[in-house]
């Protein structure tokens, strides 16, 4: 059994466990030292992969402090998700026909999953009114998003994502109006990656190449990078995970009860995220149980271990810590298809077992 900090240090020491890229000249070991170090690592990792434009945005720069506040949480979630994926026996190494593997999707989805906080808490009522009335089209205008493709909406159909997005912005005395950071972040990631692709296409090293197979010379690293329009579906996979991990079925059904009649939208009772939806499944669990967003001390007070005979893992801690951090953990079963077993021992220790149903 390891504390979360020990687990993270072990993963950080083995580049093959966390990095999609071979021979990466970066260390992730010190990325949890400060918000600044964490965000710097995130940006450099995207830049190393030829994707630095995903952070080139006037609003992301204007509200950078809100991203900084989440940056250590993002890195902690990144480590935690790798451990959880391995515990559920997900193959993180094998590359598909496009030479991509789970680590590629994980870096895109996890390291970008909270970037949308730049928008969530910084919106005036006029903008929120636009979103309430116009939905995703309003977001496209606000965030200068060009590419919103149907391939993005896999876990939930576009009309459900749009409905949820609009409901989050509705004026209601019982909740705060806001731009949903997950939906905004997922759509922004896909759009930025598509625009990065277009820039790369213009700079291809061989003008005779086609869009499904070409190379560029990366100015910042001097490396030769391969690109293909076949990767659009891969971009969409990461975007969908970011969008869908932030749509809670119980909240969605509350919105449907209150606002759904006028939209013709009915309750969705069988839409829990399953392990077959690997990327969204891992992101949803890791983001929910990650404790650093509350206090850094919990990295040393919570331990983790993989289950011996089944797919899943255990969290351990003293009763007080577990009560503070995980008092509502069983609510995950409402939107993720998992089994949760909580055991309190006489030693004032609590174990939480999370496994496949």
């Amino acid at each position: 059994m390891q504390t979360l900090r020990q687990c993270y240090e072990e993963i950080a020491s083995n580049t093959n466990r966390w990095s999609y890229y071979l021979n990466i000249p970066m260390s992730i070991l010190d990325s949890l030292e400060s918000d600044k170090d964490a965000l710097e690592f995130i940006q450099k990792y995207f830049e190393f992969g030829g994707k630095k434009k995903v952070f080139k945005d006037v609003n992301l720069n204007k509200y950078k402090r809100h991203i900084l506040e989440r940056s250590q949480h993002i890195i902690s979630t990144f480590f935690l998700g790798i451990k959880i994926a391995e515990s559920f026996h997900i193959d993180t190494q094998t590359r598909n026909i496009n030479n991509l593997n789970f680590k590629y999707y994980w870096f895109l989805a996890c390291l970008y999953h909270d970037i949308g906080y730049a928008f969530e808490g910084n919106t005036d009522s006029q903008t929120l009114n636009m979103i309430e009335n116009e939905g995703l089209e309003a977001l496209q205008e606000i965030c200068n998003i060009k590419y919103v493709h149907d391939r993005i909406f896999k876990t939930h159909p576009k009309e459900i994502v749009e409905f949820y997005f609009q409901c989050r912005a509705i004026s209601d005395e019982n909740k705060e109006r806001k731009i949903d950071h997950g939906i905004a972040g997922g759509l922004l990631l896909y759009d930025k990656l598509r625009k990065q692709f277009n820039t790369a296409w213009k700079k291809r090293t061989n003008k005779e190449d086609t869009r499904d197979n070409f190379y560029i010379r990366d100015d910042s690293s001097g490396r030769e990078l391969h690109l293909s329009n076949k990767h659009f579906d891969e971009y969409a996979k990461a975007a969908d995970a970011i969008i869908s991990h932030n749509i809670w079925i119980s909240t969605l059904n509350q919105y449907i009860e209150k606002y759904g009649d006028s939209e013709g939208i009915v309750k969705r009772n069988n839409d829990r995220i399953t392990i077959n939806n690997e990327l969204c499944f891992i992101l949803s669990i890791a983001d929910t149980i990650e404790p650093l967003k509350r206090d850094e001390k919990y990295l040393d007070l919570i331990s983790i271990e993989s289950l011996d005979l089944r797919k899943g893992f255990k969290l351990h801690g003293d009763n007080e810590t577990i009560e503070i951090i995980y008092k509502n953990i069983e609510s995950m079963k409402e939107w993720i298809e998992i089994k949760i077993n909580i055991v309190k021992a006489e030693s004032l220790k609590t174990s939480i077992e999370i496994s496949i149903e």
Side-chain angles (χ1 to χ4, degrees), residues 172-191:
D172 188 322
E173 62 182 15
N174 296 317
K175 69 178 181 65
E176 181 184 359
R177 306 177 74 190
K178 59 182 63 178
I179 290 181
D180 185 278
H181 72 270
I183 295 173
L187 293 177
L188 193 69
L189 175 66
Y190 181 80
D191 181 70

Side-chain angles (χ1 to χ4, degrees), residues 148-160:
V148 178
H149 195 280
D150 287 347
R151 61 164 60 92
I152 298 171
F153 306 99
K154 299 297 184 184
T155 303
H156 299 292
K158 184 177 180 180
E159 60 267 22
I160 289 295

Side-chain angles (χ1 to χ4, degrees), residues 136-200:
L136 297 181
E137 286 191 4
L139 180 67
Q140 288 183 254
E141 181 175 338
I142 295 162
C143 299
N144 190 30
I145 291 174
K146 178 180 179 181
Y147 297 101
V148 178
H149 195 280
D150 287 347
R151 61 164 60 92
I152 298 171
F153 306 99
K154 299 297 184 184
T155 303
H156 299 292
K158 184 177 180 180
E159 60 267 22
I160 289 295
V161 173
E162 183 157 47
F163 174 76
Y164 193 90
F165 187 65
Q166 289 177 285
C167 289
R168 293 275 277 167
I170 288 177
S171 179
D172 188 322
E173 62 182 15
N174 296 317
K175 69 178 181 65
E176 181 184 359
R177 306 177 74 190
K178 59 182 63 178
I179 290 181
D180 185 278
H181 72 270
I183 295 173
L187 293 177
L188 193 69
L189 175 66
Y190 181 80
D191 181 70
K192 294 290 187 183
L193 290 172
R194 286 291 305 269
K195 289 173 178 174
Q196 181 88 57
F197 177 91
N198 293 342
T199 299

Side-chain angles (χ1 to χ4, degrees), residues 101-234:
N101 60 20
F102 179 86
K103 290 185 291 184
Y104 176 82
Y105 305 122
W106 184 241
F107 118 70
L108 288 180
C110 184
L111 295 186
Y112 212 79
H113 83 275
D114 270 355
I115 301 302
Y117 266 101
F119 305 97
E120 182 160 303
N122 301 288
T123 312
D124 55 49
S125 59
Q126 183 177 358
T127 301
L128 289 168
N129 289 339
M130 283 176 58
I131 291 172
E132 180 180 343
N133 294 316
E134 301 174 30
L136 297 181
E137 286 191 4
L139 180 67
Q140 288 183 254
E141 181 175 338
I142 295 162
C143 299
N144 190 30
I145 291 174
K146 178 180 179 181
Y147 297 101
V148 178
H149 195 280
D150 287 347
R151 61 164 60 92
I152 298 171
F153 306 99
K154 299 297 184 184
T155 303
H156 299 292
K158 184 177 180 180
E159 60 267 22
I160 289 295
V161 173
E162 183 157 47
F163 174 76
Y164 193 90
F165 187 65
Q166 289 177 285
C167 289
R168 293 275 277 167
I170 288 177
S171 179
D172 188 322
E173 62 182 15
N174 296 317
K175 69 178 181 65
E176 181 184 359
R177 306 177 74 190
K178 59 182 63 178
I179 290 181
D180 185 278
H181 72 270
I183 295 173
L187 293 177
L188 193 69
L189 175 66
Y190 181 80
D191 181 70
K192 294 290 187 183
L193 290 172
R194 286 291 305 269
K195 289 173 178 174
Q196 181 88 57
F197 177 91
N198 293 342
T199 299
W201 170 246
K202 295 174 184 177
K203 296 181 178 180
R204 63 193 183 279
T205 54
N206 185 349
K207 296 303 180 183
E208 301 303 316
D209 285 343
T210 57
R211 282 167 58 90
D212 67 341
N213 185 34
F214 67 93
Y215 293 84
I216 64 167
R217 179 68 59 179
D218 183 59
D219 295 334
S220 57
S221 67
R223 298 163 57 237
E224 189 174 61
L225 302 176
H226 173 254
L227 290 97
S228 171
N229 56 13
K230 295 176 182 177
H231 295 172
F232 292 173
D233 284 331
E234 320 292 359

Side-chain angles (χ1 to χ4, degrees), residues 6 44 61 63-64 70 82 95 121 129 134 145 147-148 151 201 231 235 239 271 275 277 306 330:
Q6 290 169 336
K44 284 186 175 179
N61 290 324
Y63 299 113
K64 184 177 180 180
R70 306 292 294 183
I82 291 169
R95 297 178 179 242
N129 289 339
E134 301 174 30
I145 291 174
Y147 297 101
V148 178
R151 61 164 60 92
W201 170 246
H231 295 172
Y235 303 161
D271 287 335
I275 195 170
N277 189 355
S306 300
E330 289 193 284

Side-chain angles (χ1 to χ4, degrees), residues 244-307:
S244 300
H245 94 285
N246 220 43
I247 296 178
W248 295 2
I249 295 301
S250 59
T251 303
L252 171 62
N253 282 332
Q254 289 173 15
Y255 289 156
I256 291 172
E257 283 185 1
K258 195 164 188 178
Y259 310 113
D261 286 345
S262 61
E263 303 292 334
I265 294 177
V266 298
K267 277 193 172 183
R268 303 176 68 82
N269 298 316
N270 299 306
D271 287 335
R272 288 189 300 168
I273 297 166
T274 73
I275 195 170
N276 293 326
N277 189 355
E278 288 181 348
L279 189 62
C280 192
F281 180 80
I282 298 301
L283 181 59
S284 299
I285 296 174
D287 186 46
T288 302
I289 68 174
E290 194 289 308
L292 189 146
K293 56 191 170 186
R294 295 176 177 87
D295 197 306
E296 186 177 355
K297 68 181 181 181
Y298 294 122
L299 294 186
D300 298 302
L301 296 178
I302 297 172
S303 299
I304 188 169
E305 65 176 332
S306 300
L307 297 178

